[in-house]
Amino acid sequence: MDAIDKKLLKLLQTDSKSTTKELSTKLNLSVTAVYERIKKLEKDGTIKKYVALVDRNKIQKSYVVFCHIKLIQHTRDFIAEFENAILKLDEVLECFHVSGDYDYILKICVRDMEEYREFMVTKLTSIKHIGSTHSSFMIGEVKNTTVFNIS
């Protein structure tokens, strides 16, 4: 990956709907060269997919919860069962297996506290092997970006 690829990736992360013509102007390359670079980055897996970022407030999912999960044991089976169950929960936008006092951190987006309570009672606590949970609620968003600084 050269400097042009890195600049191209930054431009695409900022606005993936930019046309190859617009990108070629910004990169001082031909449209064909930009197209070929994008295809190479897609093929090698550097570019995984293109998405639309949705405003949580507009879809009434502005209540953000970070839920820390501790499993009762760290067996391969318990981990696999937990992770498979989490993958099925639409409310969970992100799930990280972490070190420290807890085993997982979930980012959950719901409408309000009532919807979060319903999620906890009917979905999350029905997952086997959870020993304890600890929830933190977002007060305000300071930074939220999907753009990597590629150096």
Side-chain angles (χ1 to χ4, degrees), residues 78-140:
F78 285 10
I79 289 170
E81 286 180 45
F82 173 79
E83 290 178 359
N84 286 331
I86 289 298
L87 292 172
K88 297 172 186 165
L89 300 177
D90 293 335
E91 296 88 348
V92 178
L93 272 74
E94 298 177 57
C95 174
F96 302 97
H97 194 179
V98 297
S99 64
D101 292 337
Y102 291 91
D103 300 313
Y104 292 90
I105 299 175
L106 311 179
K107 179 180 178 184
I108 301 162
C109 292
V110 290
R111 182 181 60 250
D112 52 24
M113 177 59 88
E114 186 176 317
E115 189 173 313
Y116 181 62
R117 182 184 185 286
E118 183 67 19
F119 167 78
M120 284 291 288
V121 170
T122 63
K123 295 182 180 180
L124 192 63
T125 57
S126 69
I127 297 174
K128 294 178 183 176
H129 317 304
I130 293 178
S132 65
T133 65
H134 174 84
S135 299
S136 300
F137 305 95
M138 181 183 78
I139 295 171

Side-chain angles (χ1 to χ4, degrees), residues 4 7 20 26 30 58 95 109 122:
I4 295 171
K7 189 171 182 184
T20 50
K26 291 176 183 174
S30 70
K58 301 274 187 193
C95 174
C109 292
T122 63

